[in-house]
Amino acid sequence: MEYERILSASGPTGGHLVRLSDKKEPKKIAWLQCIGSRDMNRCDNAYCSAVCCMYAIKEAVISKEHSGDDLDCAIFFMDMRTHGKEFERYYDNAKTKKGIRFIRSRVHTINPVQGTDDLEVRYVTEDGRILNETFDMIVLSVGLEIPKEIVELSKKLNIELTSSKFSKTGTFKPVDSSRKGIYVCGAFQGPKDIPQAVVDASAAAAAAGEILSSARNTLTKKPEIIPEIDVMGDRPRIGVFVCKCGINIAGVVNVPDVSKYAETLPYVEYATDNLFSCSQDTQDKMAQLIKEKGLNRVVVAACTPKTHEPLFQETLKNAGINKYLFEMANIRNHDSWVHKDSPEAATEKAKDLVRMAVAKVAMLQPLKEAELQVNQTALVIGGGISGLVAAKTLSNQGYESHIVEKDSTLGGQAKSIYKTTTNEIVADELKQLINDVTTDSKIHVHLNTTIKKVDGFVGNFQTTLVGNATETVIPHGVTIMATGASAYKPSEYEFGKDSRIITSLDLDQKLINHDPMLKQLQSAVFIQCVGSRENNRLYCSRVCCTHSIHNAIELKELNPNMDIYILYRDIRTYGERELLYRKARDLGVIFIRYSVNNKPSVAIQNGKMSISVTDHVLNRPIIIETDLLTLASALIPNPAEDLAQFFKLPLNEDGFFVERHAKLGPSEFATDGVFLCGTAHYPKPIDESIAQAKAAASRAVTLLARKNIFTSGQVAFINPVNCSSCGICISICPYSAPSFIEKGPFTGKAQINPVLCKGCGLCVASCRSGAIHHNGYDNGQIFNQLFAITELPN
C-alpha cells in the first residue's frame, strides 16, 4: 500500500518513483510475496491473501512504465497465483514482453548494505545455488487480515467467524452470515480482489432485497429534478475542463498548457484543469461553475467516454443543462497512453483533440429521450446452478422469470460434482434448489429448448424459443446469460486409452457412486493444468487445484495408506482454500512441481501404468507407478456465438463473455438490459458462481424496479421529403429500427423507431439520398471537427 502511494499522483512524491530515504531513482526493485500470508512461522495467517501476486505484477509493470525499460524488477514468490480473468495473460506478458524477473524462492532475510541505503537479499535458486543480490528498494507484499475491532464487533453481533477470523458463510449461501438478516461482502468474507468484492456487494444487496421486497417503494424519495434551461438559439458559451488523471495524463501531457490553449478557442468562456475530473468534489465544483459562468455547453478532456461520459452528463443535468450538450476528448487512451515517449507531441495532440471537441460541441443541440415501460419479466439463459439461483433470487424479489435450458435436465456441471470444499454434498443442495425452482409459480422452465431469434430492446425484448418442435415468443424486460462451461476432454497423457486414466469429474462420479475400487487403490496421481495455461488457452481454470486437493484428501480418508501425488505448475488454493493444501500435506499427499517445457509423461506397459516426471527438489527424473491417474482438465466456455449475435454481446479470445467493466461491472454487459453470471463469465467455484448469479439478479432488479426507463437521444432520424424509398436502411439495420410508413402523406417513405435505434450510424452512412441524420453526430458536427484538425494550435 505504501508503494501504491509512491506511484500515485496524489502521493508523497507526486507519482515520481523515488526511494523515500534519499530521493534516489531506483534502478532495481524487488517484491517479496506472501509476507504475512501462508505463514505459520512469523504470524498465524495460514491462508492465502489472494490478491498479492497480481498487485505485485501490476506494480512492477507500472514501475517500468514510470521509469523505463532499464528498471530491473524482480518478484520473489512461492506459487504465482494469477487465477482471475485475464490474469494469466497479464502474467505471461509481464514475463515475456515487459522483462520482469520471476524468482521462485522465499527470501529469509534482508541485510542493509553499509554506507548506502541499498538492501542485500540472500536467496536459494531452484537449482540449489545460493545467491546474493542488491536492490535499491524492496516492496513487501503483505497479506490481508481482519482487524481486532472487527473481530470484537462480530462477537457483539453474534456472527460466527472462521479459524482465520473471516465471516463464516456457506457455499450455497455465500453472503449470508451465521445470523439471519446480516449479510457480508468484500474482504470480511475472505480475501478477494475488486471484481469479486463488487460481485459480493451486489449479491448481498440482492439477499437483503429478498427479505425487504414486500416493503419496496414504501419509503422511496424522488430526487429533485432540476429544470432544464432552454438554450436553443443562444450563442454557445463553452466550458473546458482538462483532467490530469493523476499521472495517467499529466505524466506525459502538459495539462496546464492545454487548459491555457483551450481559453483561446472560439466560444470558450472558461477553461481549467483538475487533478481528477471524475471525483465527487470536482463534479460539484463543475456544476457550480456552469451556473456561475452561464455555460451552456461543456467539453471534458480526460479518459474514455465509455466509462465516464454518463457521469459528466449527470453533472450537466444537475446544473440545468441538457445532457447532450457535452463532448469528451479522450486525451488518455488516444494520447498520453500511446505517446508516452513523446510528451511534446502528445501535448500538441491533446490540443488538437480539445480543439476538435470544442468545434463539435458548439454545433450540438439539445436532444430528447423517449420514455419506455419495462416488462417486469426476466429471461435466464442456462439452467445450471447460476441460472437457477438467478431465477430464484428474482422470484424472491417478486419478479417472474423464464429459464431456457438446452438439455433435458436442470443442474448443469453441478450434477457431476461430489462435494464442496466445505464438505457439503452438492447433489443434496442441488436437488433442493431444483425443487424450489420447479415448484415456484413465478419461474417457468423450458427444457430441451433453444433460442431462434431475439427482437426488441432493453425493457421490451421478444425472444423466440424452439422446443419440442414448437415456437414460443417470450416477452421480457431483461436477460441473464448463465450459459456455463464444460470440462475439456484431454487428448494428452494417453487419455481414452486406458480406463484408469480419468478426468476430475470422472473421479467425482466414482466418489458419488461410492465406487469400491477407490478403497483398493494403492497409488493415485493427479496432473494439473491439463488444457489450461497453454498458448491456445492462456487462462487458469481457477477451480482445478482446490478440486484435486480436496479429492486427494477424500482418497486419503478412504485409505490412509494410499500413496497420492499431485503434479502441478503452481498451486492456486487462494483464500482459505490454502488450509486444504496444508491439510493435504499433513495427510501425506506429495506435491511435485513440473514446468510447462518439461511435462510429465505416461506409459502403459504389461498392464502397469507409470508416470515420469522431474522432481523439482531432487532435480532428477523419477517414475511413479500408479493405479489411477486423474487429469485436472480445463473449463471451456459453452459455445455462445449465436447468443452473442442475438444480444450484441462481446466474447473474448477464449470464448468467455466480456463484461461491461472488468472491475466495476463484472455482472453486466455494455448492452443495456443484459446481465452475466457463472462460468460463462470465467471459471469459478460454486460459491462464486452463486454470488455472481445473485449479483446479476441484483443488477437486473435495478432496471425492473424502475418500471420506466429512457432511451438515448443520440439516435438516427429521417427527413421523409428527401427519402427515395430505396429500403437500404431497412435491410442493413441490425436492430430493425427503420421501416416504411404505411399511412399518411409520406406513405412508402422510411421512418426510424427511436426506441429500437442504437445509434450505430449504419443507416446514415448507407443512405444515398442524404435523408438520414444522426442526432449528436450529424454531418455538420462531424465536418466541423474535421475542419478543426487543419487549424494549427497557437
Side-chain angles (χ1 to χ4, degrees):
M1 292 300 290
E2 292 169 346
Y3 191 75
E4 290 277 344
R5 295 303 302 144
I6 292 174
L7 292 177
S8 174
S10 60
T13 62
H16 186 48
L17 181 52
V18 295
R19 186 164 62 185
L20 292 181
S21 59
D22 58 4
K23 302 299 185 286
K24 173 188 174 182
E25 293 187 359
K27 299 299 182 186
K28 290 182 70 176
I29 305 176
W31 280 259
L32 307 190
Q33 299 307 103
C34 301
I35 309 300
S37 298
R38 305 180 68 189
D39 188 356
M40 296 299 287
N41 179 27
R42 300 290 182 130
C43 65
D44 290 328
N45 296 340
Y47 55 86
C48 163
S49 288
V51 300
C52 319
C53 287
M54 274 306 296
Y55 284 174
I57 297 173
K58 179 205 71 173
E59 287 174 356
V61 168
I62 292 176
S63 297
K64 276 186 165 285
E65 292 174 351
H66 274 247
S67 300
D69 292 335
D70 292 339
L71 179 66
D72 183 356
C73 296
I75 298 177
F76 292 83
F77 70 101
M78 292 194 293
D79 295 286
M80 189 48 60
R81 294 186 168 173
T82 49
H83 49 271
K85 190 173 186 179
E86 300 292 348
F87 288 5
E88 185 71 18
R89 195 165 276 113
Y90 193 87
Y91 170 38
D92 187 69
N93 286 339
K95 283 190 296 185
T96 59
K97 297 179 181 179
K98 300 294 184 180
I100 294 168
R101 292 190 292 143
F102 290 86
I103 303 168
R104 197 184 294 269
S105 181
R106 186 145 192 176
V107 175
H108 184 270
T109 54
I110 301 172
N111 294 314
V113 178
Q114 288 189 352
T116 72
D117 284 353
D118 297 343
L119 300 162
E120 184 185 74
V121 168
R122 183 179 174 91
Y123 63 94
V124 180
T125 63
E126 289 187 77
D127 58 8
R129 292 177 297 134
I130 299 176
L131 298 181
N132 293 306
E133 192 168 352
T134 302
F135 292 91
D136 298 308
M137 292 176 69
I138 293 177
V139 182
L140 304 181
S141 293
V142 297
L144 305 176
E145 61 182 8
I146 299 297
K148 292 179 181 178
E149 307 83 59
I150 303 301
V151 174
E152 291 300 317
L153 178 62
S154 301
K155 290 178 181 177
K156 293 176 182 177
L157 295 174
N158 294 321
I159 295 176
E160 189 177 353
L161 302 180
T162 66
S163 59
S164 305
K165 297 183 176 62
F166 296 101
S167 176
K168 190 170 185 178
T169 57
T171 300
F172 291 85
K173 293 185 176 181
V175 294
D176 289 42
S177 73
S178 59
R179 186 171 176 185
K180 190 173 182 180
I182 296 182
Y183 303 98
V184 298
C185 59
F188 178 52
Q189 194 267 344
K192 59 194 63 182
D193 58 9
I194 292 171
Q196 192 58 44
V198 171
V199 166
D200 283 359
S202 291
E210 290 177 46
I211 62 174
L212 293 173
S213 60
S214 61
R216 181 176 286 118
N217 294 325
T218 58
L219 296 172
T220 301
K221 293 182 179 179
K222 293 186 178 181
E224 179 187 359
I225 298 176
I226 306 296
E228 186 176 300
I229 301 170
D230 184 5
V231 299
M232 288 294 290
D234 290 358
R235 177 185 182 277
R237 295 177 58 85
I238 302 171
V240 179
F241 300 85
V242 187
C243 182
K244 295 179 180 178
C245 196
I247 59 165
N248 269 304
I249 295 173
V252 177
V253 174
N254 186 336
V255 172
D257 194 29
V258 175
S259 174
K260 186 176 180 181
Y261 168 72
E263 293 177 348
T264 67
L265 296 174
Y267 302 117
V268 173
E269 299 292 328
Y270 179 80
T272 188
D273 56 75
N274 310 106
L275 181 61
F276 291 105
S277 294
C278 57
S279 65
Q280 187 58 53
D281 57 335
T282 304
Q283 295 290 297
D284 295 339
K285 183 180 177 182
M286 193 181 297
Q288 183 180 348
L289 285 167
I290 291 171
K291 295 175 182 177
E292 288 179 359
K293 304 292 182 181
L295 306 178
N296 56 24
R297 286 164 179 79
V298 170
V299 169
V300 173
C303 55
T304 171
K306 182 179 178 181
T307 55
H308 284 72
E309 185 177 56
L311 176 69
F312 295 118
Q313 288 181 326
E314 194 65 27
T315 302
L316 262 68
K317 287 175 63 177
N318 292 336
I321 304 298
N322 186 278
K323 63 186 275 188
Y324 293 103
L325 298 174
F326 170 78
E327 184 66 17
M328 204 163 173
N330 190 345
I331 62 172
R332 186 190 69 176
N333 304 45
H334 295 171
D335 192 15
S336 65
W337 278 3
V338 290
H339 303 300
K340 62 185 178 68
D341 297 326
S342 307
E344 290 184 6
T347 300
E348 294 307 305
K349 182 176 179 179
K351 292 177 182 179
D352 291 341
L353 292 169
V354 169
R355 186 171 67 255
M356 292 167 65
V358 167
K360 181 185 176 186
V361 82
M363 301 283 288
L364 293 180
Q365 297 297 323
L367 302 178
K368 299 297 182 184
E369 297 178 332
E371 187 175 6
L372 299 173
Q373 286 189 330
V374 177
N375 186 302
Q376 299 290 286
T377 303
L379 184 74
V380 180
I381 304 177
I385 203 161
S386 296
L388 295 172
V389 170
K392 188 60 184 171
T393 301
L394 288 169
S395 174
N396 290 343
Q397 296 213 39
Y399 297 103
E400 201 167 332
S401 63
H402 292 261
I403 297 177
V404 180
E405 172 54 53
K406 66 180 186 298
D407 292 336
S408 58
T409 58
L410 296 171
Q413 290 295 313
K415 292 180 293 187
S416 304
I417 300 174
Y418 176 41
K419 286 183 180 179
T420 69
T421 56
T422 50
N423 289 319
E424 295 154 290
I425 303 295
V426 174
D428 294 345
E429 298 286 347
L430 184 61
K431 181 180 178 182
Q432 182 61 53
L433 178 59
I434 291 174
N435 181 69
D436 291 344
V437 165
T438 53
T439 58
D440 193 318
S441 60
K442 289 188 177 68
I443 302 175
H444 310 280
V445 178
H446 306 265
L447 298 176
N448 296 310
T449 300
T450 57
I451 292 176
K452 180 181 179 181
K453 187 174 69 168
V454 177
D455 293 316
F457 42 88
V458 55
N460 291 273
F461 291 106
Q462 297 278 338
T463 298
T464 304
L465 308 182
V466 178
N468 300 318
T470 303
E471 289 191 7
T472 307
V473 177
I474 304 293
H476 55 102
V478 298
T479 306
I480 295 178
M481 307 299 295
T483 51
S486 302
Y488 164 68
K489 292 297 181 186
S491 57
E492 52 267 68
Y493 299 118
E494 305 297 318
F495 180 78
K497 297 180 180 179
D498 192 295
S499 61
R500 295 169 294 179
I501 304 174
I502 62 177
T503 66
S504 297
L505 291 182
D506 294 332
L507 177 56
D508 271 67
Q509 200 60 51
K510 290 180 180 294
L511 290 166
I512 290 170
N513 296 332
H514 303 290
D515 193 326
M517 65 86 69
L518 296 178
K519 290 185 178 181
Q520 299 169 8
L521 297 175
Q522 297 301 309
S523 173
V525 174
F526 295 78
I527 298 180
Q528 301 305 110
C529 297
V530 179
S532 294
R533 303 179 66 195
E534 304 278 359
N535 287 332
N536 63 331
R537 205 171 288 113
L538 199 56
Y539 62 87
C540 167
S541 289
R542 195 175 179 97
V543 300
C544 317
C545 287
T546 306
H547 194 187
S548 291
I549 290 172
H550 191 261
N551 279 349
I553 292 171
E554 287 288 331
L555 293 179
K556 268 290 186 183
E557 291 176 346
L558 284 174
N559 179 3
N561 296 320
M562 190 187 306
D563 294 325
I564 300 179
Y565 303 84
I566 295 182
L567 314 184
Y568 71 98
R569 288 175 59 190
D570 290 280
I571 291 294
R572 293 181 169 178
T573 46
Y574 58 94
E576 291 187 283
R577 291 166 175 82
E578 180 72 13
L579 305 183
L580 281 176
Y581 182 25
R582 182 181 179 86
K583 180 180 179 180
R585 299 199 305 274
D586 290 343
L587 289 173
V589 177
I590 297 171
F591 291 82
I592 301 173
R593 189 174 68 249
Y594 73 89
S595 73
V596 69
N597 299 319
N598 188 17
K599 294 180 179 180
S601 61
V602 179
I604 302 171
Q605 292 181 339
N606 302 321
K608 292 185 177 181
M609 181 166 56
S610 60
I611 289 89
S612 300
V613 63
T614 299
D615 184 281
H616 65 286
V617 177
L618 301 175
N619 198 25
R620 58 185 293 178
I622 60 173
I623 297 175
I624 304 168
E625 286 193 3
T626 185
D627 301 322
L628 185 70
L629 173 60
T630 302
L631 306 179
S633 60
L635 269 179
I636 301 176
N638 289 327
E641 288 80 4
D642 54 345
L643 293 172
Q645 287 292 326
F646 288 149
F647 289 98
K648 308 298 182 289
L649 308 174
L651 297 168
N652 70 9
E653 57 190 292
D654 301 313
F656 295 104
F657 283 111
V658 178
E659 60 275 43
R660 179 181 65 81
H661 191 284
K663 304 294 184 187
L664 305 180
S667 303
E668 52 202 299
F669 289 101
T671 301
D672 292 337
V674 189
F675 305 91
L676 172 65
C677 63
T679 51
H681 167 256
Y682 188 70
K684 50 179 63 73
I686 289 175
D687 57 338
E688 293 175 10
S689 293
I690 289 175
Q692 194 174 23
K694 295 184 82 68
S698 180
R699 302 305 302 154
V701 168
T702 63
L703 267 177
L704 296 172
R706 284 156 62 182
K707 297 185 179 179
N708 294 290
I709 58 173
F710 292 89
T711 63
S712 173
Q714 292 179 330
V715 294
F717 68 95
I718 296 176
N719 181 350
V721 173
N722 296 334
C723 177
S724 63
S725 303
C726 67
I728 288 179
C729 59
I730 295 173
S731 64
I732 203 171
C733 178
Y735 305 103
S736 304
S739 62
F740 286 122
I741 299 173
E742 297 180 356
K743 293 180 181 180
F746 295 110
T747 299
K749 303 289 187 177
Q751 62 181 352
I752 290 177
N753 183 341
V755 173
L756 291 174
C757 180
K758 292 294 181 184
C760 68
L762 273 176
C763 61
V764 181
S766 64
C767 181
R768 300 170 183 178
S769 308
I772 309 180
H773 302 269
H774 196 306
N775 286 324
Y777 294 92
D778 210 358
N779 289 345
Q781 296 156 358
I782 298 298
F783 280 124
N784 222 33
Q785 277 189 296
L786 295 175
F787 296 150
I789 296 176
T790 61
E791 298 174 14
L792 296 177
N794 295 328

